[in-house]
Amino acid sequence: MSTYEASPGDSRAPRASRAPGADVLTDCWTMTRRELAHWARQPVQVLVGLVFPVMLLLMFGYLIGGGRGVQGDYVDFLVPGMLALTMAFGLEGTMLAVTQDLNKGVIDRFRSMPMTNGAVLVGRSVADMLQSALGLAVLIGVGYAIGWRAHGTFAAFLGAVGLLLLFRFAMLWIGIHLAMVAGKPEMVQAVQILVWPVGFLSNAFATPDSMPGWLGTVVEWNPMSQTATAVRDLFGGPGGEPGHVWAAVVWPLALLAVFLPLAVRRFGGLSK
């Protein structure tokens, strides 16, 4: 019986056999560990991502002030808004990494391996979510240091953190899709500018009631404002309104339903 030995460059070379199910998690975890290893080589970038929102919180809390239309302690209003704002910002690190992998041919090499389609993107998103959770913990700690307190129950506190991370997850997949659309690292900065209107046309720093009518309406419909309002309600602070939790869940899920499949589909079509 003759056997066929595939040369390295032979297109007929069979891929390693794959067992379904567990291999998906294995591939995603392998790609996640790859991203976490980058943290050790780029500690400054991770540190900046943690310090920047803290600087914003202290700046708006002590230097700029604000709080027009806020009933109650402004710090209790500001901290949940800053937590939501932090979940919208900081996407450029993940977006840059995706475009750099595209341009260096790294993703093409991964695609040639017996790897689950999309595991690279999942690994990237998991690493980003871990950093986002760490950033939340740091900012919450700073909030407590400057006098902010969560007045709700522990279950409500966990629910608020869950809403914040859900919003981050949705924003993250928008960023991943836009990064693959941009294609080049130098285009990421231009795309990242689109995040600023989402962040600052919100109720992070002031209530919509203190704004002109048309602007207040835009701010109220902003998905980030819905998350911030729901989180304030769960934390038991000023600016919170009952009934916004459902909107803080529906908005991110709707965004995920659109952009996650778009990102995976675009990734799957890169070699076509």
Side-chain angles (χ1 to χ4, degrees):
M1 178 183 297
S2 61
T3 60
Y4 169 70
E5 295 184 2
S7 61
D10 196 330
S11 61
R12 294 176 296 169
R15 291 184 174 186
S17 60
R18 302 281 288 168
D23 282 344
V24 175
L25 296 178
T26 300
D27 292 343
C28 293
W29 174 238
T30 299
M31 291 297 98
T32 300
R33 285 191 301 155
R34 171 179 177 262
E35 302 307 326
L36 296 179
H38 291 167
W39 290 12
R41 295 194 294 270
Q42 300 173 341
V44 174
Q45 181 177 337
V46 176
L47 184 62
V48 169
L50 297 176
V51 171
F52 179 69
V54 172
M55 292 175 58
L56 283 180
L57 173 60
L58 297 177
M59 180 177 67
F60 280 95
Y62 290 104
L63 298 179
I64 297 177
R68 290 188 303 162
V70 176
Q71 302 295 324
D73 189 340
Y74 182 55
V75 171
D76 282 346
F77 177 87
L78 176 64
V79 171
M82 280 301 309
L83 294 175
L85 184 69
T86 302
M87 295 297 95
F89 279 20
L91 298 172
E92 65 273 8
T94 295
M95 295 171 68
L96 278 171
V98 170
T99 55
Q100 287 170 352
D101 284 350
L102 285 172
N103 284 272
K104 292 177 181 178
V106 174
I107 289 182
D108 288 337
R109 290 198 293 272
F110 284 142
R111 287 175 56 82
S112 67
M113 299 177 181
M115 182 181 296
T116 304
N117 187 34
V120 177
L121 300 183
V122 172
R124 179 71 66 182
S125 66
V126 171
D128 184 286
M129 291 300 296
L130 290 174
Q131 185 172 359
S132 298
L134 178 60
L136 270 183
V138 170
L139 200 57
I140 288 173
V142 173
Y144 266 83
I146 65 176
W148 171 76
R149 294 294 182 271
H151 303 289
T153 64
F154 183 66
F157 180 91
L158 293 180
V161 172
L163 289 180
L164 290 166
L165 291 176
L166 177 62
F167 178 65
R168 175 62 177 191
F169 195 58
M171 294 297 296
L172 175 61
W173 280 96
I174 294 174
I176 290 174
H177 174 66
L178 292 178
M180 288 192 291
V181 171
K184 297 181 179 179
E186 55 269 23
M187 292 296 295
V188 168
Q189 186 174 3
V191 175
Q192 175 67 13
I193 294 175
L194 300 175
V195 177
W196 287 84
V198 175
F200 286 99
L201 288 177
S202 71
N203 63 359
F205 308 112
T207 65
D209 295 338
S210 65
M211 305 173 187
W214 66 270
L215 183 60
T217 300
V218 172
V219 167
E220 287 180 345
W221 279 94
N222 186 336
M224 202 192 88
S225 294
Q226 298 293 335
T227 295
T229 302
V231 167
R232 287 179 178 124
D233 181 51
L234 292 172
F235 284 147
E241 297 178 9
H244 282 260
V245 172
W246 71 269
V249 172
V250 171
W251 261 116
L253 291 180
L255 293 172
L256 280 170
V258 173
F259 287 97
L260 195 155
L262 285 176
V264 174
R265 187 180 306 155
R266 191 171 187 89
F267 178 82
L270 288 177
S271 63
K272 296 180 180 180

